[in-house]
Amino acid sequence: MELAYIPSPSHGVLYLGPVPLRGYAFCIIIGVFVAVWLGNRRWVARGGLAGTVADISVWAVPFGLVGGRLYHVITDYELYFSEGRDWVDAFKVWEGGLGIWGAIALGAVGAWIGCRRRGIPLPAYADAIAPGIALAQAIGRWGNWFNQELYGKETDLPWALHITSSADGRVPGYYHPTFLYESLWCVGVALLVIWADRRFKLGHGRAFALYVAAYCVGRAWIEYMRVDDAHHILGLRLNDWTALVVFLLAVAYMVVSAKKRPGREAVVEPAAQASGDAAGDASADGEEKSGAQSSSSEAAEDSAGAKAGAGDAAGAKKAEDASGADGEAGSKDGTAAEADDKTEAKADDKDEAESAGKKS
């Protein structure tokens, strides 16, 4: 009795007129956008310029797609170059088949080119984008669901994946949804790297190395569950051996890097620091000009005050001089009046004396 299961899509592609819209391609594209968005936020928080992550991804993403396809074609060459196969199918990326190992390896070459053009250290850039890459993988794995591929062993668990296609040797039935397991694991890896980076201030590529090591652990047990054809070495699938080797290299890098270059980079993008210094200089120049203008204004006010004071003093002096002149003029007028009075008095006495002489 079928109680519950994860259904597979009936079609992995829809057509908008003559244009095919493939679920696998959409998952890859959405994953890239998420990785660039999160990487940009982390890069700016580390002191870099906005847009730098997107500029470098123009180099990293195409290199990564080519590397991922090359790894898949090389490790599964019989799917394209054996009898009855068409080698042209090796270029049909939209049909699935991208090896994460080749994508990271060649994508790192593209990122290195982009970083050199911007004068940026590759380890710092790798640390910024590490969680975003893990989330991109988590989203990209749903492309395998659209293509009904890379599932695990048969199971009757409630979350079993119902495979309905019989193409390319598939047997319809209910299987472990290894695409879902890996998707959830990658989300956990992204959260782990973000937490560890905040807690321990990882730098010089150690956050990226932690992402690689953590992903390899999950990939090893998920790969063990898969039932699709693969090359085996000493009883283990090739991808299991790859995961083991890459895990050891990532851990070794973390240990050696922590001893040789502890801590985190002080400067991740010289252009951002130069831009900040220029802004600081401009601000300081503005403050100096403002101070100079303020000093000039104060000097002008002092000069105007001095002129006003001098004017007041000159006015007071003029008023004082005028008052003194008026006083002197008043004094002269008073003296003249007194002289006139005395002359008139003498004249009156003279008249009176002559009048008295006539009478006698």
Side-chain angles (χ1 to χ4, degrees), residues 256-288:
V256 174
S257 176
K259 291 182 178 180
K260 289 189 173 182
R261 293 179 292 178
R264 177 184 283 180
E265 299 92 340
V267 178
V268 295
E269 188 168 3
Q273 186 183 31
S275 177
D277 292 342
D281 293 340
S283 177
D285 290 342
E287 291 179 1
E288 288 178 2

Side-chain angles (χ1 to χ4, degrees), residues 5-264:
Y5 60 87
I6 299 174
S8 292
S10 57
H11 300 284
V13 57
L14 298 176
Y15 287 89
L16 185 62
V19 180
L21 304 177
R22 302 181 183 278
Y24 186 89
F26 269 107
C27 290
I28 298 296
I29 293 170
I30 294 171
V32 169
F33 273 104
V34 170
V36 172
W37 170 78
L38 181 58
N40 181 71
R41 287 176 59 89
R42 286 172 53 81
W43 184 252
V44 172
R46 290 282 301 273
L49 293 174
T52 296
V53 170
D55 292 342
I56 296 176
S57 69
V58 172
W59 290 90
V61 172
F63 273 73
L65 290 175
V66 172
R69 189 61 176 177
L70 282 175
Y71 180 88
H72 167 72
V73 172
I74 291 172
T75 55
D76 292 301
Y77 61 89
E78 66 278 356
L79 297 177
Y80 308 101
F81 302 104
S82 61
E83 185 178 355
R85 298 284 183 170
D86 187 357
W87 63 270
V88 176
D89 292 340
F91 297 96
K92 297 179 180 180
V93 180
W94 55 87
E95 293 183 354
L98 290 175
I100 187 60
W101 315 111
I104 295 298
L106 207 55
V109 174
W112 175 76
I113 295 173
C115 286
R116 279 186 61 86
R117 291 169 60 89
R118 297 292 292 262
I120 293 170
L122 178 61
Y125 178 80
D127 285 341
I129 64 172
I133 293 177
L135 290 180
Q137 289 179 249
I139 297 171
R141 272 305 176 195
W142 284 86
N144 301 133
W145 176 68
F146 281 102
N147 287 351
Q148 295 196 39
E149 60 185 1
L150 306 187
Y151 45 85
K153 301 174 183 179
E154 287 191 286
T155 181
D156 57 357
L157 292 171
W159 55 84
L161 175 65
H162 187 196
I163 296 297
T164 58
S165 174
S166 57
D168 295 328
R170 296 183 183 90
V171 178
Y174 300 90
Y175 301 89
H176 277 285
T178 51
F179 82 91
L180 178 60
Y181 298 160
E182 187 166 340
S183 179
L184 295 176
W185 183 269
C186 287
V187 172
V189 170
L191 296 176
L192 171 66
V193 174
I194 292 173
W195 170 82
D197 194 25
R198 290 178 178 176
R199 175 67 177 80
F200 302 105
K201 304 296 181 183
L202 300 177
H204 301 285
R206 288 189 289 278
F208 184 82
L210 175 62
Y211 144 71
V212 172
Y215 171 75
C216 288
V217 172
R219 181 61 185 265
W221 67 267
I222 293 171
E223 187 74 20
Y224 184 74
M225 297 178 66
R226 284 167 49 172
V227 294
D228 54 300
D229 293 332
H231 296 285
H232 288 72
I233 300 175
L234 299 178
L236 287 179
R237 293 166 66 97
L238 175 61
N239 283 330
D240 277 322
W241 285 105
T242 304
L244 176 61
V245 172
V246 174
F247 169 80
L248 294 176
L249 291 175
V251 172
Y253 178 86
M254 291 179 66
V255 174
V256 174
S257 176
K259 291 182 178 180
K260 289 189 173 182
R261 293 179 292 178
R264 177 184 283 180

Side-chain angles (χ1 to χ4, degrees), residues 322-334:
S323 175
D326 291 341
E328 289 177 1
S331 176
K332 289 178 181 179
D333 292 342

